[in-house]
Each structure stands twice: as structure tokens, then as C-alpha cells.
Amino acid sequence: HHTDMQDALFEDMLSCGNWIKEVLKAQPHLHQLILIGPEKKAFDAMDLHHKCISITYEDLLAKDLEMLNSIDPLPSYISIDKDVLSDHYALTNWNQGKMSLPTLEKLLAIAFVDHPIIGLDICGEADLSMPLPLLEEAHTINEKTDASLLQFIKTWIQFKKIERIP
């Protein structure tokens, strides 16, 4: 839901708000970075790096995923921040996006089919300072989504293993 390309609050500080900006600067072997989910206005407010492909929330609504066809089929690392999901699927310590879990899984399926995946992470948890009833609700929602994502990923890993058997 966020671009994670903010300036660091302190010099040489890496945070959840600037890690993408730092990766683009520091990793010469990075071929492309595909950022999916923030609204168009978030991208309009920044000067995107030439290696960054942006797919806005509005592109997803319009089912305009044509730019996915231009992504090179290179080994890929996927980082999922659950704040991209609507609060029906996740409650995190940042404001939430509007994406549904089925949409996220569709995007993951496209990546899994077209790219060898070398790693994947999932982040975005509840704010521990929430009132206890809300924190319990957040944990229930997040655990359900985590379990669903884990099952989805396991299924694709198994499928890819079967696909490679001669």
C-alpha cells in the first residue's frame, strides 16, 4: 500500500519506509523492481527509479495488468507487505490498502508461473499497542490470511516440483 521509497529519517538508517529506495541505490545486480499496490497519487508524488515498474491499485481495479507481460522472466524475490490488503484480510501497524486476498493470490500465481522464485517474505503485523479486543481481532484476521497465503505458496511449490519431474 506504500511505496517504501521515503527519505531516511536519519542518515544511513534502513527502515520499512525507505528500504526499496535503498535497494534501488545499493544493489547493482537488481534488474527490475516491480511495486504493486500503492495508489496512483503515491507514484505521481515521486520520481521513480528507471528500474522500477509501478502497478497501481487503479491498474488492478481496471484489470490493466499488461505491464506484467514486459517483466523479464528472471529469478525473482517476492516481498509481500500485508498492508496492501484491505482490513477484511489484514490489520497492520500502518494504514491499509484495498486489495483482496484473491487478487494478491492471482498476482502471485502470475509471478510463480513466469519466474523462478528464489525467496519470499511476508510482513505486516498488528500494532501491539492496540486495545486488547482489537488486537485479538487483528491476530485472528492476520493468522487466517497467513495460513491462506502459506497454503497457496505450498501448493505452488509442490506444483513447480511436479512440473520439473521428467
Side-chain angles (χ1 to χ4, degrees):
H1 180 60
H2 305 98
T3 63
D4 296 343
M5 289 194 219
Q6 300 171 3
D7 290 328
L9 188 56
F10 301 104
E11 190 175 334
D12 297 325
M13 182 177 137
L14 184 65
S15 74
C16 60
N18 74 342
W19 75 271
I20 288 179
K21 185 175 189 174
E22 293 303 314
V23 164
L24 288 166
K25 279 195 303 189
Q27 297 300 322
H29 300 293
L30 177 70
H31 183 72
Q32 287 180 322
L33 188 138
I34 298 92
L35 184 55
I36 302 173
E39 293 179 348
K40 184 179 182 319
K41 65 183 177 187
F43 289 114
D44 289 346
M46 61 190 338
D47 182 25
L48 285 178
H49 191 281
H50 70 279
K51 291 183 179 182
C52 187
I53 296 173
S54 62
I55 300 174
T56 68
Y57 177 71
E58 292 83 358
D59 294 332
L60 294 174
L61 285 178
K63 298 188 181 351
D64 184 9
L65 301 177
E66 191 153 321
M67 64 278 292
L68 289 174
N69 297 329
S70 68
I71 297 170
D72 293 333
L74 298 170
S76 299
Y77 184 93
I78 297 173
S79 182
I80 301 168
D81 191 335
K82 290 186 297 193
D83 71 16
V84 75
L85 296 168
S86 77
D87 59 9
H88 179 76
Y89 298 101
L91 291 174
T92 68
N93 58 350
W94 290 92
N95 62 335
Q96 296 296 133
K98 301 172 187 168
M99 188 183 294
S100 70
L101 185 58
T103 298
L104 175 57
E105 289 176 344
K106 179 180 179 181
L107 293 167
L108 289 171
I110 292 168
F112 291 163
V113 166
D114 294 338
H115 302 88
I117 305 302
I118 59 173
L120 183 142
D121 72 79
I122 301 171
C123 66
E125 295 304 324
D127 182 351
L128 296 178
S129 67
M130 289 177 171
L132 188 57
L134 184 57
L135 184 60
E136 288 174 341
E137 177 187 4
H139 282 304
T140 300
I141 291 169
N142 291 344
E143 285 177 3
K144 183 177 177 185
T145 296
D146 290 346
S148 182
L149 281 171
L150 180 60
Q151 185 57 47
F152 182 85
I153 292 163
K154 281 181 172 180
T155 300
W156 272 100
I157 290 170
Q158 190 61 32
F159 174 74
K160 291 300 249 183
K161 284 180 183 175
I162 291 170
E163 189 178 64
R164 283 189 236 131
I165 296 174

